[in-house]
Amino acid sequence: MPSARLVRAHARAQGQVLLRSPAQLVFLLLAPAVALLAIVAPIDALAGDPTQSAQAFAQMAVFGGLAVSVFGLGINAAEERASAWSTYVRTLPASGWIMTAGRLAVTLIAVAGCLLPLTLAALATTALPEALGHVSGAATSGAAGALARLASMLGAWVVAIVGCVPFLGLALIVGYSFSPSTTVAMTQLLVVPLAFAGGLVLPPGVFPPWLEALSWALPTRAVREGVLAVLGQGFVEPVWAGGGGWVPVLVWAAWAVAALVGAARAYARDEGRRFR
């Protein structure tokens, strides 16, 4: 069977497993939108300011991708390792990357599903539409302005979804390295520092100097700045970077490569420990 068909078959099976836990699915998909409605929308100083609204949307979008990737993928991988059916599937001739690719595809679809209610909530209750109108070189009215704002929002979606690659790798490392009960605790220990130090809970502008410097080394900060740049807010870089937008890109790429390599090693180590 061609590899593409096998990936689709595994993705369909993983999707069915995810749908069997509707409470968890609804929580992961709606949590960022609910947080924005509860924390940002009631505060006029945040919801009425285009810059603050764009920052709030970017932070919630990246946090949603982080939570869906780590909680959904990591815990699911650990639970499947403990099931007899998953053990049997991993003994079949199909290579491990096919099953993993199917799992990653479902997770990225879930991330996109998380962004949809968040986007609708932000457009309806904050000044995000005005922030989209500030995209450099874009018309602010008429059909051209609407297309420019749509392109900016779609670009933010692409950056937020592609930005999840390091989070997916980290989730697989945890899922393939720990038991299901331990994975729950490890995912929390992973998400909380990445979210807080990456500027997803509080804007980095309020950080002390040492935390501001540390945040530039984290993938969450890199993706946050990427989403803001696409939304027309421009790249914010450390003073030593000299501009150009290269720091967030390099940080994201380094984390993506390291996390995916670590995930492959964790999978191979788990397979060697249990099947050889």
Side-chain angles (χ1 to χ4, degrees), residues 5 8 39 43 51 69 73 75 89 130 153 180 184 218 229-232 236 274:
R5 291 184 60 188
R8 288 198 299 269
I39 299 174
I43 304 177
T51 299
S69 300
L73 180 60
I75 296 176
V89 170
E130 297 180 35
M153 180 56 67
V184 174
L218 298 178
V230 176
L231 291 177
V236 179
R274 298 200 293 152

Side-chain angles (χ1 to χ4, degrees), residues 31-32 35 58-68 71 114 167 191-192 195 200-201:
Q59 291 170 195
M60 296 296 179
V62 179
F63 180 80
L66 174 65
V68 171
F71 289 137
C114 168
F167 312 148
V191 168
V192 173
L200 307 185
V201 179

Side-chain angles (χ1 to χ4, degrees), residues 9 14 33 38 44 53 56 59 76 101 108 111 114 123 136 157 166 176 181 209 213 226 250 260 266:
Q14 293 295 328
D44 293 337
S53 298
Q59 291 170 195
N76 180 261
L108 291 177
V111 171
C114 168
L123 292 175
S136 178
W157 273 46
Y176 286 133
S181 57
L250 290 183
L260 292 178

Side-chain angles (χ1 to χ4, degrees), residues 178-255:
F178 300 97
S179 65
S181 57
T182 306
T183 298
V184 174
M186 292 301 298
T187 52
Q188 294 174 352
L189 290 176
L190 184 64
V191 168
V192 173
L194 284 176
F196 181 80
L200 307 185
V201 179
L202 297 173
V206 303
F207 286 173
W210 67 269
L211 186 55
E212 166 70 11
L214 174 64
S215 70
W216 285 108
L218 298 178
T220 41
R221 178 70 184 272
V223 182
R224 176 189 183 275
E225 299 303 331
V227 174
L228 284 174
V230 176
L231 291 177
Q233 303 301 308
F235 265 120
V236 179
E237 289 199 331
V239 294
W240 46 264
W246 58 270
V247 170
V249 176
L250 290 183
V251 169
W252 175 86
W255 274 91

Side-chain angles (χ1 to χ4, degrees), residues 10-34:
H10 278 283
R12 184 166 56 251
Q14 293 295 328
Q16 292 174 351
V17 170
L18 188 62
L19 292 175
R20 291 172 185 168
S21 302
Q24 177 188 11
L25 181 62
V26 170
F27 172 77
L28 290 175
L29 296 184
L30 296 183
V34 172

